[in-house]
Structure formats: structure tokens, C-alpha cells
């Protein structure tokens, strides 16, 4: 009854202060799913859309006194659409997404509209998240990628120096809280609209994604009002970069200018890539929510390294520098390599796989190079999954530049334990003082223990086929015998 009463008042022309008070009350009530039934009708949705100035196509936003009403109406619509499946369906029928895009256009070059723009973008994010038809409508009919990219560009006050290159002002103050919130909402909405777009490719789409990637590079080099807001901004930028076709990510690096503060590699500015590396390390150090927080940036860096040689070489110099001290196991220590190697045996399968894949790509998918940096024990899971237990390399082609081992590594190499990946003191052989009978007894004891475990189906003995994949031990052994017979010379 209260909701109905409020909406009846809002339908009439009342004073602005009265409208704001009614909308504030409705916003609080709309958080409760149980009271939404009277609100989620076509008539009542249209009342709120009218108050949010969504039904006036040509009229500009001129009366600043009405702005609080627009903001409160948009907040109410956000709550209602988030909590009601009926409202989500009505949104498609009422063409709400098109009206929101139109309101975004009105906000261009307009003062005092940051809150309106922010909640407009939030509503577009919710609609594109909760209704797949609206997501398709935004992408195909409403040119949503272009509209939202322009909104992001406006929030970040982007200035272009040349195509795909944004002017970087080192003395620029951090973004305000409103600018940061607008940028975050635009990034989230763009993420939904660009889902499944990694395999697109008309010339126009390629241009649009490269343009977006250049803005995202600027976004990574931008700071927010607080450390937490900066991390949230960068996190959403990373998520969106994961949707950009990998061939368009070369705009993340650019020919370096002459400033000494540039992070350079091979004449290219690697500032954005360094931000991504620092972001990855922070997420590892957090020690929780790896799947949501860490895997997107690791996946992004892996694809960048796989496709762009300069990015791979720069990141490898940071993550896998030439080995000198091999006295500790690869997983022990505080370097980025140590942290990533620890993740290779993480309990979460997805985290374990992407960490191993990242290091494997940095090693140009060469098994011998990966084992040098991680040890066989840490890499066994990846090698088994890829059928590379017998050695070799992955499927992708990389340039032929070779790693050069340091003198310290070369001198230590003969004594490195290949399983653990570190230098071990020679251990006394416990069998040296045994007689042949004792050795035979211990060997048979071990065989019987394995046999019992196998018969009780507690373990399943496995072997490596000649092609590097795993198989039950009997099958693997028989394949080796077959290969040996076929390759042996007959009299």
C-alpha cells in the first residue's frame, strides 16, 4: 500500500523536494523483494522512467534543480531491476536500454551530471548482466560498445596524441571519486557487452577494440582517489582486456618517448605491462580468492606473452631472470618466480593450471627450460595434462632466441636434483653397506607393498607412453616393447 501510495503521488506534478523524498523512500523499500509486486507494472515503471528523463528523446538536460530527482529515479530502477525478474522482462518491452543510451548522449559535455551518468551506466551494467536479449540488443542494435567506450573515455578525460595513443600527463592529479565510479561502471557494462568477442574480426571491429585497448592502457596508468579504488579500477580494466582480441593488445605497448621515467624495453614503453605485473603480484600476496582475483590477470598476461614477443621477453626478464643461486627449492622465497611456482601445486585446479601455463609460455613452451626454473615435481601436473612427460615442447611457435645460462648455474647444474629443482648436498647411499641378499629382500618387500596397494585399488601404477602421455603401467611397458621391436635391426 505504501509503494502504491508513493507511486500515485509521483504520477502527479509535485514539487521537486516532495519527489526526491518519495523516491528516497521508494529506493529503501525496493531493496525488499517482497514489496516489489506493485512496483513492477508497466505503468509504474513508466512513471519512474519519466522522472529519470528517459522518455524525453530530444530534450536536453537543462534544469539542474531536477538532477536530484533523475538520480533518485535511476537508483530506484537499479534496485527494482536487480531484484525483480518481471522488471527485467518489462525493461526489454519498454526499450529501456535504448533510452539509457540516449540519456548518456545527453550527458556529453554537460556539467553536474556525474551522478546521473554513473547510475545510468550502472543500470546498463545490470540490464546487460541479467538479460541476455538486452545484452544482444546493446551489442548489435544500439552500438553499445561504441557508446560505452565513449562514456569511459569521457570519465577518464582522455586526450589523444595520435591514433591509439593517449597523452600521458605525469603531473595529473588522481581521478575524483565520481570520475572513478563512472569509469568502473562503464568498464563493467563494457565487459558484459563484449563477452564472446575475442574471435570477431571485421576491420571496423578491429579498430573499435584497438581504440578501447588504448583507453584501457591509459586506465591502467591512472590512479583513483584511494588505493582500494585504484585497485578496483585496474581490476575491471584487466577483466575487460581479457575480452579484447589478443591481436589488438599490441597497443598496450608503444614506442618509448625520451622521458627517463619510462619503463623501456627494446625501445618500447612497458609502463602498462609493469602495472599488470605489479597487480598480479599484489593479488598473489593477498592469499585468497585466487580464482576471481588472480586468474583473469594471469590469463591476460599468458595470452599477451604467447602472441607478442616484446611483451614476453620483458615479462620473462622480470619473472624468470637468469638463474644464479640454486641452493633453495624453486618454491621457496619471496620473488615472483617463487610465488608462481608455489601456485603450480595449489589445491584449486584452475589456479594451478593457469599459473603453470603462464610459466610454460614464458619458457616458450620448452619442457627443459620449464624444468630448469620449476623442478620436475612442480611441473609434473602440467606436463601430464599436455602429454609432455617425455620432454619436448608445446604446440605454439616462438622465436629462436636462446636462453643463456649464467656461469653459476652451469657450475651447479651437474648436482641439481631434477625433481626438486635445487642444489642438494650429495647424500650417502643407504645400499652401500648392504649385502646382495639384503638388497634383494628390500626390493621384494617394496614390490609386495605396491602390489597390495594396487590390488586393493588404492593406487593405480602408471607409466609414460613413448608419446609423453600417461597410461596404465602394463600398457605403457607393452608400447615401449613394441616400439623397441619395430626399431631393432633384424638379421
Amino acid at each position: 500500500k505504501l509503494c502504491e501510495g508513493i507511486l500515485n503521488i509521483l504520477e502527479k506534478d509535485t514539487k521537486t523536494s516532495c519527489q526526491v523524498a518519495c523516491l528516497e523512500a521508494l529506493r529503501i523499500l525496493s531493496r525488499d523483494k517482497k514489496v516489489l509486486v506493485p512496483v513492477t507494472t508497466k505503468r509504474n515503471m513508466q512513471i519512474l522512467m519519466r522522472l529519470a528523463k528517459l522518455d524525453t528523446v530530444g530534450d536536453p538536460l537543462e534544469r539542474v534543480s531536477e538532477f536530484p530527482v533523475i538520480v533518485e529515479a535511476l537508483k530506484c530502477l537499479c534496485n527494482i531491476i536487480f531484484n525483480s525478474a518481471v522488471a527485467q522482462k518489462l525493461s526489454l518491452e519498454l526499450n529501456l536500454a535504448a533510452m539509457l543510451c540516449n540519456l548518456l548522449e545527453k550527458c556529453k559535455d554537460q556539467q553536474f551530471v556525474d551522478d546521473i551518468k554513473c547510475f545510468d551506466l550502472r543500470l546498463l551494467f545490470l540490464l546487460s548482466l541479467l538479460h541476455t536479449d538486452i545484452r544482444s540488443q546493446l551489442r548489435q542494435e544500439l552500438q553499445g560498445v561504441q557508446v560505452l567506450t565513449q562514456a569511459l573515455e569521457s570519465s577518464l578525460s582522455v586526450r589523444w596524441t595520435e591514433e591509439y595513443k593517449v597523452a600521458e600527463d605525469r603531473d595529473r592529479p588522481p581521478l575524483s571519486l565520481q570520475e572513478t565510479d563512472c569509469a568502473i561502471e562503464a568498464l563493467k557494462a563494457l565487459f558484459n557487452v563484449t563477452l564472446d568477442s575475442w574471435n570477431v574480426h571485421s576491420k571496423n571491429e578491429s579498430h573499435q577494440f584497438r581504440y578501447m585497448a588504448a583507453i584501457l592502457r591509459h586506465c591502467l596508468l591512472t590512479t583513483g582517489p584511494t588505493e582500494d579504488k585504484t585497485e578496483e579500477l585496474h581490476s575491471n580494466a584487466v577483466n575487460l582486456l581479457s575480452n579484447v582480441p589478443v591481436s589488438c593488445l599490441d597497443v598496450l605497448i608503444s614506442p618509448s618517448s625520451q622521458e627517463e621515467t619510462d619503463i623501456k624495453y627494446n625501445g618500447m614503453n612497458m609502463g602498462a605491462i609493469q602495472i599488470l605485473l605489479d597487480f598480479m603480484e599484489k593479488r598473489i600476496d593477498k592469499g585468497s580468492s585466487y580464482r576471481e582475483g588472480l586468474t583473469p590477470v594471469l590469463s591476460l598476461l599468458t595470452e599477451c606473452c604467447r602472441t607478442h614477443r616484446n611483451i614476453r621477453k620483458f615479462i620473462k626478464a622480470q619473472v624468470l631472470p637468469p638463474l644464479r643461486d640454486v641452493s633453495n627449492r624453486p618454491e621457496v622465497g619471496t620473488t615472483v618466480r617463487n610465488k608462481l611456482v608455489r601456485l603450480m601445486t595449489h589445491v584449486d585446479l584452475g589456479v594451478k593450471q593457469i599459473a603453470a601455463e603462464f610459466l610454460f609460455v614464458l619458457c616458450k613452451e620448452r619442457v627443459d627450460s620449464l624444468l630448469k626454473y620449476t623442478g620436475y615435481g612442480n611441473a609434473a601436473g602440467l606436463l601430464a595434462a599436455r602429454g609432455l612427460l617425455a620432454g619436448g615442447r608445446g604446440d605454439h611457435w616462438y622465436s629462436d632466441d636462446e636462453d643463456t645460462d649464467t656461469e653459476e648455474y652451469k657450475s651447479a647444474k651437474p648436482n641439481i636434483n631434477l625433481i626438486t629443482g635445487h642444489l642438494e648436498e650429495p647424500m650417502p647411499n643407504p645400499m652401500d653397506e648392504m649385502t646382495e641378499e639384503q638388497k634383494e629382500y628390500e626390493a621384494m618387500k617394496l614390490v609386495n607393498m605396491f602390489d597390495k596397494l594396487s590390488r586393493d585399488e588404492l593406487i593405480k601404477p602408471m607409466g609414460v607412453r613413448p608419446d609423453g602421455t600417461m597410461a596404465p603401467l602394463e600398457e605403457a611397458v607393452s608400447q615401449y616393447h613394441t616400439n623397441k621391436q619395430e626399431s631393432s635391426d633384424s638379421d
Side-chain angles (χ1 to χ4, degrees), residues 119-249:
F119 287 103
D120 186 312
L121 289 165
R122 184 169 297 177
L123 201 41
L124 280 170
F125 160 67
L126 289 170
L127 288 170
S128 59
L129 173 72
L130 299 168
H131 204 305
T132 52
D133 289 341
I134 293 178
R135 188 187 309 162
S136 300
Q137 182 192 21
L138 275 166
R139 183 165 54 229
Q140 294 162 12
E141 297 171 28
L142 302 174
Q143 296 182 318
V145 174
Q146 187 175 343
V147 170
L148 291 166
T149 302
Q150 286 172 353
L152 176 63
E153 182 181 349
S154 169
S155 301
L156 297 170
S157 304
V158 168
R159 291 184 300 106
W160 298 95
T161 56
E162 55 188 87
E163 190 177 38
Y164 310 135
K165 190 166 183 182
V166 178
E168 301 299 340
D169 182 2
R170 299 184 187 284
D171 300 322
R172 181 185 168 187
L175 295 176
S176 69
L177 184 59
Q178 281 184 321
E179 288 171 330
T180 309
D181 284 339
C182 276
I184 288 169
E185 295 301 334
L187 289 167
K188 285 156 60 178
L190 270 169
F191 176 81
N192 290 340
V193 174
T194 56
L195 275 173
D196 306 322
S197 59
W198 55 271
N199 57 354
V200 294
H201 255 62
S202 68
K203 190 173 180 180
N204 184 50
E205 284 173 323
S206 177
H207 164 73
Q208 188 65 52
F209 279 110
R210 292 171 77 81
Y211 181 76
M212 185 195 299
I215 296 172
L216 291 173
R217 177 184 181 276
H218 175 70
C219 192
L220 289 172
L221 297 170
T222 301
T223 55
T226 65
E227 192 174 333
D228 286 346
K229 274 293 175 186
T230 301
E231 186 175 346
E232 187 181 354
L233 179 69
H234 290 175
S235 177
N236 282 287
V238 166
N239 291 342
L240 181 52
L241 278 167
S242 301
N243 286 353
V244 174
V246 71
S247 59
C248 300
L249 293 177

Side-chain angles (χ1 to χ4, degrees), residues 38 85 94 98 144 170 187 196 206 225 232 234 268 290 301 324 328 331 387 391 398 425 428-429 436 444 472 486:
L94 294 168
R170 299 184 187 284
L187 289 167
D196 306 322
S206 177
E232 187 181 354
H234 290 175
M268 306 300 284
Y290 282 152
L301 288 172
R324 297 184 186 282
N328 291 322
E331 66 271 24
Y398 295 86
E425 293 296 324
N429 188 343
E436 290 302 316
M444 289 308 300
E486 287 174 356

Side-chain angles (χ1 to χ4, degrees), residues 5-47:
I6 289 171
L7 285 159
N8 287 334
I9 295 170
L10 288 170
E11 194 174 17
K12 301 167 187 171
D13 287 329
T14 55
K15 289 192 298 184
T16 299
S17 58
C18 178
Q19 289 178 329
V20 171
C22 287
L23 286 166
E24 284 175 345
L26 187 61
R27 169 166 54 86
I28 294 165
L29 291 167
S30 63
R31 295 170 186 164
D32 185 351
K33 294 181 182 181
K34 295 174 187 174
V35 302
L36 283 177
V37 175
V39 183
T40 52
T41 65
K42 194 170 183 179
R43 165 188 167 265
N44 290 338
M45 291 278 285
Q46 284 173 324
I47 291 170

Side-chain angles (χ1 to χ4, degrees), residues 217-431:
R217 177 184 181 276
H218 175 70
C219 192
L220 289 172
L221 297 170
T222 301
T223 55
T226 65
E227 192 174 333
D228 286 346
K229 274 293 175 186
T230 301
E231 186 175 346
E232 187 181 354
L233 179 69
H234 290 175
S235 177
N236 282 287
V238 166
N239 291 342
L240 181 52
L241 278 167
S242 301
N243 286 353
V244 174
V246 71
S247 59
C248 300
L249 293 177
D250 58 334
V251 298
L252 289 178
I253 59 176
S254 59
S256 180
S257 55
Q258 297 304 311
E259 290 104 347
E260 292 181 2
T261 49
D262 280 349
I263 298 170
K264 301 177 185 177
Y265 187 84
N266 277 356
M268 306 300 284
N269 187 334
M270 293 287 177
I273 304 301
Q274 186 62 56
I275 295 283
L276 289 173
L277 279 172
D278 294 341
F279 180 83
M280 175 196 74
E281 190 169 7
K282 276 184 192 172
R283 285 296 168 93
I284 295 174
D285 292 342
K286 259 189 176 175
S288 61
S289 303
Y290 282 152
R291 184 175 281 274
E292 298 81 15
L294 178 63
T295 53
V297 67
L298 265 179
S299 181
L300 172 65
L301 288 172
T302 302
E303 289 307 313
C304 284
C305 291
R306 187 173 272 135
T307 310
H308 302 291
R309 178 172 178 263
N310 274 325
I311 295 178
R312 187 188 75 247
K313 293 186 77 174
F314 171 75
I315 291 178
K316 185 173 183 187
Q318 304 282 314
V319 176
L320 299 178
L323 285 175
R324 297 184 186 282
D325 180 10
V326 286
S327 58
N328 291 322
R329 290 173 179 252
E331 66 271 24
V332 175
T334 57
T335 66
V336 185
R337 174 177 77 109
N338 302 143
K339 295 170 184 178
L340 285 165
V341 173
R342 284 198 288 274
L343 289 178
M344 292 176 78
T345 52
H346 194 270
V347 66
D348 187 306
L349 186 61
V351 174
K352 178 168 73 172
Q353 286 175 337
I354 192 61
E357 187 76 14
F358 176 54
L359 291 173
F360 194 41
V361 169
L362 288 183
C363 295
K364 295 187 285 191
E365 299 193 23
R366 293 207 313 263
V367 173
D368 56 343
S369 181
L370 179 70
L371 296 182
K372 180 173 84 174
Y373 288 104
T374 68
Y376 195 89
N378 292 312
L382 172 79
L383 301 181
R386 298 284 291 268
L388 293 169
L389 285 167
R393 64 185 306 161
D395 302 327
H396 291 82
W397 180 88
Y398 295 86
S399 56
D400 292 332
D401 51 305
E402 292 296 326
D403 296 329
T404 53
D405 292 333
T406 61
E407 291 301 320
E408 295 93 329
Y409 179 78
K410 285 178 182 175
S411 62
K413 190 174 180 180
N415 299 315
I416 292 175
N417 183 323
L418 297 178
I419 302 298
T420 61
H422 82 300
L423 190 65
E424 289 186 345
E425 293 296 324
M427 299 287 288
N429 188 343
M431 299 178 73

